[in-house]
Amino acid sequence: MDVFGSHWENHFERISEDWRARVTQEDVVLIPGDISWAMQLGAAVEDLRRIGGLPGRILILRGNHDYWWSSLTQLRACLPENMIAVQNDACAIGPYVFCGTRGWTIPPAAGAQEKDEKLYRREAMRLEMSLKEARRLSQGRSIVAMMHYPPLLPENLRTGTAFTRLLSDYGVRRCVYGHLHGQSVQRGFSGGYQGVRYDLVSCDALGFRLLEVTPEEE
């Protein structure tokens, strides 16, 4: 990652140091995508194991650069015991239910093409699948969502997006997302919107430290 700037040097070691200092085995850690540069699952296993060696229950979501993430069955078969892959579904851990989807570029973004509209709609459908499962599992639990792409940007605050409407309608309390790096982190939105708290949690946006997320926080 240091090809993207000197601030990325030793980024995994820096994240790991903060992680070990703050996370217990009972905590849940959310990683919303772009996990490994590997192209095939076999080549990504070493990265997954390094992450799985850190404490906590770790939930991962597919990012746009996770080309190694193809067969969900094969992926789940090789994950460390403390790692769970979320894809079109949800999982309940303690008093919380976790769900989410990758997301996509929100039209009409600059340079967006017709295919982007189709992918955007498809990802909205996948998000609703995940939210329906989260609602089924909730039974009074708070729902926390992960997305890789931003579910909204500052320019979407007036009208909202297909993603924000679904997250609000299903009673999600917190949503974390990544994807934005470098100068792009300035375009991220962190704050409350229509009953949901959104946070940009990409590594460099957080200074390579973890963000503590509690659904009760406004």
Side-chain angles (χ1 to χ4, degrees):
M1 289 297 296
D2 55 359
V3 298
F4 297 105
S6 59
H7 63 292
W8 281 95
E9 291 180 2
N10 300 315
H11 71 285
F12 185 73
E13 289 75 16
R14 291 155 63 193
I15 293 168
S16 298
E17 182 180 5
D18 185 58
W19 186 321
R20 293 184 187 280
R22 299 169 59 194
V23 177
T24 71
Q25 295 294 356
E26 289 71 40
D27 290 322
V28 177
V29 181
L30 310 179
I31 305 180
D34 283 1
I35 300 161
S36 172
W37 282 113
M39 298 299 292
Q40 303 293 331
L41 177 58
V45 168
E46 181 180 351
D47 290 334
L48 295 171
R49 287 175 177 168
R50 288 183 72 195
I51 297 169
L54 296 167
R57 299 288 300 278
I58 304 168
L59 273 60
I60 62 173
L61 186 79
R62 184 179 184 179
N64 62 306
H65 291 295
D66 290 318
Y67 299 110
W68 51 272
W69 185 314
S70 54
S71 167
L72 185 60
T73 300
Q74 293 178 10
L75 170 58
R76 286 177 169 166
C78 69
L79 286 178
E81 290 185 1
N82 63 332
M83 190 175 288
I84 299 170
V86 177
Q87 180 175 306
N88 303 336
D89 56 6
C91 65
I93 302 177
Y96 308 114
V97 178
F98 301 92
C99 63
T101 193
R102 179 185 62 179
W104 197 252
T105 302
I106 301 167
Q113 303 175 9
E114 182 179 351
K115 67 175 183 179
D116 291 311
E117 177 74 32
K118 293 180 180 178
L119 290 168
Y120 170 69
R121 297 298 173 190
R122 185 186 70 184
E123 286 298 311
M125 291 175 60
R126 289 177 172 174
L127 177 60
E128 186 161 25
M129 289 173 60
S130 187
L131 287 166
K132 285 181 177 178
E133 178 64 6
R135 175 180 283 177
R136 186 185 71 81
L137 294 173
S138 63
Q139 298 180 351
R141 299 180 175 95
S142 296
I143 300 176
V144 179
M146 288 190 291
M147 295 187 66
H148 179 65
Y149 282 84
L152 81 164
L153 295 168
E155 58 263 34
N156 307 126
L157 292 175
R158 185 174 64 85
T159 60
T161 69
F163 302 130
T164 61
R165 286 187 284 274
L166 285 167
L167 293 166
S168 294
D169 288 349
Y170 279 83
V172 172
R173 300 297 303 277
R174 296 295 298 266
C175 178
V176 298
Y177 67 95
H179 188 65
L180 302 179
H181 299 287
Q183 294 299 315
S184 295
V185 302
Q186 299 176 17
R187 298 190 63 238
F189 172 78
S190 292
Y193 182 74
Q194 296 184 347
V196 184
R197 166 77 193 195
Y198 293 89
D199 283 289
L200 171 61
V201 297
S202 54
C203 293
D204 49 338
L206 297 178
F208 306 96
R209 294 173 56 84
L210 279 67
L211 174 72
E212 184 175 357
V213 175
T214 54
E216 291 72 24
E217 182 181 337
E218 295 297 334

